Amino acid sequence: MSSAANKYDACIAGIYEHPLRVAPDHTVAQLHAEVARGALLDAGLTLDDVDGYFCAGDAPGMGPVSMADYLGLKKLRYLDSTDTGGSSYLTHVNHAARAIAAGQCKVALITLAGRPKSEGSSGTQVRSQWASAPDFAFEKPYSPAPLNTYAMCAMRHMYEFGTTSEQLAWIKVAASHHAQHNPNAALKDVLTVDDVLNSPMIADPLHRADCCVVTDSGGALVVVHPDIAKTLKKPVVTMMGAGETTKGQMGGKVDLTYSGLAWAAPLAFKEAKLTPEQIRYASIYDSFTITVLIQLEDLGFCKKGEGGKFVEGGQLISGKGKLAFNTDGGGLCNNHPANRGGMTKVIEAVRQLRGEAHPAVQVPNLEFALASGIGGALGTRHGASVLIMGRLQ
Amino acid sequence: MSQTNQKHSEHRLPSPVANPENKAFLEAAQKDELLIKYCNSCKESHYYPRTICPHCGSDDTTWIKSAGLGEIYSYTVMRRGVEVPFAMAYVKLQEGISMLTHLTNCDFDSIRVGQKVRVVFQETQDGQKTHLFEPI
Ligand SMILES: [Zn+2]
């Protein structure tokens, strides 16, 4: 399996991000279809070329069974509905790459879409899909929502390592610097550290500006066999390495200072034969500022506990800092469709590798990019997934 | 009393959901007792409770009564987007395991990680009791 997703074995050939951030007049299925069409157009392919289909819990009805019928996919021979929340779509890319390398399919379509903005779903509410989790019986009286469970991670990180609210704020500030160049971004205002600290405290120590946006929207990816990628017009983005896992409360041995990426990222770097020092652009899952900080440590960009120092002073701003991150504005400012930001993480990483990011934030001559995802809730149970991609020279 | 200074009793807790694996746990709570699961095979406690030990896979697990004493591992005060502010926490028990809970009978602005706490029981929306913790 060591070479299954190595360079040239699978390529990301199509990307599309829905331009809408509020879509009250769309159905969720319609949004899936619009992003599928967009990504296939971007790749120069059609629905008839698709023989692999991937979707997660945001897909309406019976997942791929309902969506493949709605989309009119007639040649499917590979299906995957792995659902690890917002990290699902990175995991789908990994699984698609393995399936393509194994000869199971040649053109894999991955879609995500949702309408949480129109449906009034926010991070302060308990998620209904958590209700059947076996631990939920012991959590329900305490109303665990995304926001408060992440907030406890931030509080513990501050306690153990001296991380400050100012340092967390720098993550939002950097995202806002990037979002000003994205005409579709939900929040386009450039923020200062004080802006973040002066926004209302929602769940100590997280302010409103430490949180991602809630948006209707969607996105899609097309992963193809290298033989197909070579015939298409876009620059070829190749899969180089991936890792995925889950982390929970470990039988009560709770440790909120790290994510599952601490286990998954070394696998991805080993497979890609790269080190964090070689990554100049990273799409880091950004449901909250603390989500980014903990992942930067777990991905190896700095030591555990030193994330606060790593991000302060604008070190994540493209063209200014040591690591450019989320140059589309990320989930913190641009788009967090279906409350699941993993899809847009991959899309912006591909834009960067193709040289298609906004000129103000494009990293010059980018050879490698990383995308990470955290799905579920960092403070209770989550999926963790990471991809390392490269540009074919 | 300021908004963030409220006693937890003003917050009506949602009720736990009963299932075959947590029946003893919920029944004990009605008698102001906190039960946790202990594994006779690996000699470790675990939480949340389940039939098969998550540390070693043995089904030789038994309920033991927790002393109900511990310290705050982490916490947050949910101040907005909810009807009444509440303080959620992970409390690490003397028995070595952490459990999700709420903090009560305290000034929400004075809570600290590492603070010593003890279990108390409070009625939920439909009159069942569930565990919370208060500073000692
Ligand atoms: Zn055991």
Side-chain angles (χ1 to χ4, degrees), chain B residues 38-44 46 52-58 60-61:
Chain B
Y38 177 79
C39 174
N40 291 314
S41 180
C42 71
K43 314 294 181 197
E44 293 254 23
H46 69 257
I52 292 177
C53 173
H55 302 309
C56 78
S58 167
D60 187 11
T61 56

Side-chain angles (χ1 to χ4, degrees), chain A residues 25-360:
Chain A
D25 300 328
H26 280 64
T27 66
V28 173
Q30 180 186 358
L31 290 168
H32 274 268
E34 289 180 2
V35 296
R37 183 170 171 275
L40 288 163
L41 273 172
D42 179 64
L45 295 165
T46 71
L47 287 167
D48 271 351
D49 296 311
V50 175
D51 61 357
Y53 179 61
F54 296 68
C55 63
D58 55 282
M62 200 177 163
V65 176
S66 298
M67 284 311 305
D69 183 51
Y70 180 88
L71 292 168
L73 301 173
K74 299 176 193 72
K75 295 179 178 170
L76 294 184
R77 57 192 180 110
Y78 199 87
L79 298 162
D80 187 332
S81 57
T82 301
D83 189 4
T84 54
S87 61
S88 302
Y89 318 92
L90 294 99
T91 295
H92 291 171
V93 172
N94 181 27
H95 293 188
R98 314 275 172 190
I100 288 166
Q104 298 285 298
C105 60
K106 283 204 156 185
V107 176
L109 171 67
I110 306 167
T111 64
L112 161 133
R115 313 188 321 146
K117 182 80 172 173
S118 293
E119 290 164 7
S121 161
S122 89
T124 60
Q125 296 164 342
V126 179
R127 290 281 155 80
S128 59
Q129 68 265 35
W130 294 358
S132 60
D135 31 352
F136 194 74
F138 304 94
E139 297 176 6
K140 189 188 172 212
Y142 314 109
S143 302
L147 185 52
N148 52 25
T149 55
Y150 281 85
M152 287 194 294
C153 299
M155 190 68 82
R156 184 69 196 186
H157 203 278
M158 289 178 167
Y159 175 80
E160 281 199 33
F161 306 117
T163 307
T164 66
S165 289
E166 287 79 2
Q167 290 171 331
L168 288 179
W170 272 111
I171 295 167
K172 180 76 161 198
V173 168
S176 77
H177 270 267
H178 300 149
Q180 66 178 314
H181 305 293
N182 181 349
N184 295 327
L187 304 176
K188 295 186 202 61
D189 291 341
V190 176
L191 300 181
T192 65
V193 168
D194 280 345
D195 289 336
V196 178
L197 299 184
N198 291 332
S199 67
M201 187 68 86
I202 308 290
D204 309 22
L206 298 181
H207 303 79
R208 189 167 64 200
D210 285 301
C211 306
C212 66
V213 295
V214 176
T215 50
D216 301 342
S217 195
L221 301 164
V222 181
V223 186
V224 303
H225 191 281
D227 291 347
I228 294 174
K230 274 184 263 173
T231 69
L232 305 175
K233 295 189 180 89
K234 293 283 183 174
V236 179
V237 171
T238 63
M239 280 297 303
M240 298 182 65
E244 62 192 52
T245 192
T246 65
K247 178 173 176 267
Q249 297 174 46
M250 302 188 292
K253 299 187 182 301
V254 173
D255 187 335
L256 300 183
T257 62
Y258 69 96
S259 73
L261 287 174
W263 306 324
L267 303 175
F269 277 108
K270 187 180 178 195
E271 188 174 47
K273 300 186 179 71
L274 291 174
T275 64
E277 293 73 28
Q278 291 171 279
I279 304 292
R280 291 188 292 136
Y281 172 80
S283 289
I284 312 280
Y285 198 93
D286 54 350
S287 45
F288 302 95
T289 52
I290 185 63
T291 324
V292 176
L293 191 101
I294 286 177
Q295 288 173 92
L296 285 168
E297 297 170 350
D298 295 340
L299 290 163
F301 291 113
C302 61
K303 286 190 188 130
K304 180 52 63 185
E306 295 181 1
K309 284 200 166 54
F310 185 85
V311 302
E312 64 189 3
Q315 291 298 331
L316 298 177
I317 299 175
S318 187
K320 184 180 174 191
K322 52 197 163 199
L323 177 70
F325 103 123
N326 300 10
T327 42
D328 57 339
L332 289 169
C333 295
N334 169 35
N335 194 10
H336 198 246
N339 295 325
R340 291 158 169 255
M343 174 65 75
T344 48
K345 296 287 104 37
V346 183
I347 290 173
E348 183 67 2
V350 173
R351 287 193 197 111
Q352 278 284 351
L353 286 167
R354 285 178 174 181
E356 292 178 355
H358 190 282

